[in-house]
Amino acid sequence: VQLQASGGGSVQAGGSLRLSCVASGIPSDSYAVGWFRQAPGKEREFVAAVTWSGSKAYYAESVKGRFTISRDNAKNTVYLQMNSLKPEDTAVYYCAANGGMSRIGSRYDYWGRGTLVTVSS
């Protein structure tokens, strides 16, 4: 199983980015996906998660209303649309896959390499 996250970059505050997480080696209808992030000097934190069907999603309070997680199972891809970005959103963003949706990182079995998001004020 491999997860590949992409779409990071540098934007100004108020801007938008869309992250993608492409999974291979795992059937699209068998896993939930979570996005986590880790800022310099801070612990990894939960951002958002979606069930395998895309019918249910969780968000961290800090991103609710600004970020949207979605998935296209035909492409084995999960997206994180990030709008109204703030400097405090600056972090390396990781996607992870697991049989069930969770806000807890240790419950995910598979992790991709991160993609860096930098938001300047």
Side-chain angles (χ1 to χ4, degrees), residues 21-86:
C21 176
V22 180
S24 59
I26 185 170
S28 61
D29 62 352
S30 66
Y31 62 94
V33 171
W35 284 97
F36 294 79
R37 67 186 181 187
Q38 187 166 21
K42 295 188 177 181
E43 293 189 353
R44 182 180 63 195
E45 65 174 356
F46 170 77
V47 176
V50 66
T51 57
W52 70 267
S53 66
S55 62
K56 189 176 293 186
Y58 290 154
Y59 295 93
E61 285 298 320
S62 59
V63 306
K64 198 173 291 185
R66 300 188 297 121
F67 291 11
T68 303
I69 189 170
S70 62
R71 64 189 298 161
D72 183 343
N73 284 346
K75 297 180 179 180
N76 248 8
T77 303
V78 174
Y79 304 99
L80 185 68
Q81 178 66 45
M82 307 186 295
N83 298 329
S84 302
L85 283 161
K86 304 176 181 180

Side-chain angles (χ1 to χ4, degrees), residues 2 14 17 44 49 58 61-62 64 83 98-99 102 113 115 120:
Q2 287 191 332
L17 283 173
R44 182 180 63 195
Y58 290 154
E61 285 298 320
S62 59
K64 198 173 291 185
N83 298 329
N98 188 49
S102 175
R113 292 184 179 181
T115 184
S120 58

